[in-house]
Amino acid sequence: RLLKMEEFFPESFRLDLIDERNAFFELCKEEQIWICKPSCSNQGRGIFLLKNPAAVNTLQAKLHSTEEYLLNKRVPYKAPRARIVQRYIHQLLLLEGKKFDVRSYLLIACTAPYVLFFAQGYIRLTCVNYDAASDDLTVHLTNQYMQKKNSLYSQLKDETVWRMEHFNSYINEKFRKTNGLPKDWVFTVFTKRMQQIMLQCFLAAKHKLDRKLGYFDLIGCDFLIDENFKVWLLEMNANPALHTNCKVLRDIIPAVVYESL
């Protein structure tokens, strides 16, 4: 069964497409949080939050002035830098008070014929407790590149990554009874949902893939879980980080690379 976009993907708009850009600015008249991120980037670079209508108005004016400048210079038209804005999910499931997301892997092992594999990844947590009102990006973005910017990272880095087994035990212990979850929800319901979403994204994009023997790619897929245990896809990364800067990653990443090859 194919899912509807709103079942797994936060409401998003592309700012380089004029219709989507106008629809977003028309929608943003009230207090709500959006996250703005560049396409084709990684490590959290260029990401910022839009927390109120004033911030949205500033972004709109900036995009407009860039277009005006290009028109006045009579240079060939260039669309604004490819960015998306995505509705920020702030009713989050927290682990010990901290925001987290899940990095898992989709290996497109072959495109002629198509061969796909799924690999469990790991949990990425922030160094500090979650606060939706905070302006500190290390509270909102969980990747290691961003967490390194937090002054507590050096002493907490081994706590910013959990194995899936640790996550599964935590969910069993803290949430299973109170939320009516099946035993080992992480390795049953959640894992199947990740696989279903990954497959649907692959089916949506496969017509754009070059089909040739020897072509393969390892995709890093980032998922968020809200307080109702709904699973959201945040993004898919064609260049996932393979650093091993903490104990859990030293166990997980080499195995992912070895098995991919």
Side-chain angles (χ1 to χ4, degrees), residues 90-232:
H90 48 85
Q91 287 86 18
L92 300 168
L93 183 66
L94 301 177
L95 300 183
E96 297 176 349
K98 296 172 181 176
K99 182 176 180 178
F100 75 96
D101 63 18
V102 181
R103 161 64 57 88
S104 284
Y105 298 97
L106 168 66
L107 175 65
I108 303 171
C110 184
T111 56
Y114 294 117
V115 181
L116 307 182
F117 291 95
F118 166 83
Q120 296 281 9
Y122 53 92
I123 309 304
R124 311 186 299 184
L125 300 94
T126 58
C127 291
V128 294
N129 283 6
Y130 179 66
D131 174 10
S134 175
D135 292 324
D136 180 358
L137 277 179
T138 68
V139 172
H140 301 281
L141 303 180
T142 62
N143 65 70
Q144 289 283 297
Y145 181 84
M146 189 58 64
Q147 289 307 305
K148 282 180 186 178
K149 298 181 178 183
N150 191 292
S151 58
L152 295 172
Y153 178 78
S154 58
Q155 64 192 77
L156 296 176
K157 70 177 182 179
D158 282 325
E159 296 173 31
T160 62
V161 181
W162 285 9
R163 290 176 163 281
M164 294 297 275
E165 291 81 2
H166 181 181
F167 180 47
N168 183 57
S169 299
Y170 187 91
I171 296 296
N172 279 342
E173 183 184 334
K174 301 282 185 182
F175 297 105
R176 187 184 162 205
K177 286 185 178 176
T178 52
N179 291 78
L181 301 175
K183 188 172 186 294
D184 296 331
W185 177 87
V186 168
F187 290 127
T188 54
V189 177
F190 176 54
T191 294
K192 284 179 184 173
R193 190 62 153 190
M194 285 194 291
Q195 292 171 339
Q196 182 184 22
I197 291 169
M198 286 182 189
L199 179 59
Q200 184 160 329
C201 291
F202 169 78
L203 293 174
K206 75 173 190 176
H207 69 285
K208 296 182 178 182
L209 300 180
D210 288 329
R211 301 199 64 190
K212 187 176 178 181
L213 280 175
Y215 277 25
F216 70 97
D217 206 354
L218 181 68
I219 312 291
C221 306
D222 296 340
F223 295 92
L224 196 69
I225 302 167
D226 69 19
E227 60 188 7
N228 298 314
F229 285 83
K230 181 173 179 175
V231 178
W232 298 92

Side-chain angles (χ1 to χ4, degrees), residues 78-90:
K78 291 182 182 176
R81 184 184 179 190
R83 283 184 165 276
I84 69 161
V85 280
Q86 190 174 70
R87 189 179 289 280
Y88 186 90
I89 296 165
H90 48 85

Side-chain angles (χ1 to χ4, degrees), residues 42-61:
N42 59 6
Q43 299 182 323
R45 283 186 290 238
I47 292 180
F48 56 88
L49 299 183
L50 298 166
K51 294 183 140 188
N52 50 53
V56 172
N57 291 339
T58 300
L59 176 64
Q60 186 174 20

